[in-house]
Amino acid sequence: MGKVKSFAAKTAHGRTSEGHIMCPVCNVEIKRVKVIGNKKGNAGWSPRYSYIKVCKCNENDFAAGKIQ
């Protein structure tokens, strides 16, 4: 069983940038988003999974479908 943390300790950990990757352009945390597309195989269609790093710089392009 893990170590029990107080609420104050959890919120303090969330505010630190330790372990977070920050975008040098927009200074926002870069998040990995799982994208589920489709691919055609011999037996029909099947899902295609990929991960894309999204920040404020490219989130509009990602939402518009320009990045896949």
Side-chain angles (χ1 to χ4, degrees), residues 16-58:
T16 63
S17 61
E18 180 180 333
H20 299 285
I21 301 171
M22 304 300 280
C23 176
V25 177
C26 61
N27 201 23
V28 175
E29 179 184 359
I30 298 174
K31 298 182 181 184
R32 278 183 62 202
V33 178
K34 185 176 186 179
V35 179
I36 303 172
N38 56 11
K39 65 179 178 181
K40 185 168 172 67
N42 294 337
W45 296 92
S46 62
R48 177 180 54 94
Y49 303 102
S50 62
Y51 291 92
I52 296 179
K53 295 180 179 178
V54 178
C55 67
K56 287 288 182 187
C57 299
N58 63 354

Side-chain angles (χ1 to χ4, degrees), residues 52 58-68:
I52 296 179
N58 63 354
E59 78 176 353
N60 289 334
D61 293 337
F62 174 71
K66 296 178 183 177
I67 300 173
Q68 291 183 355

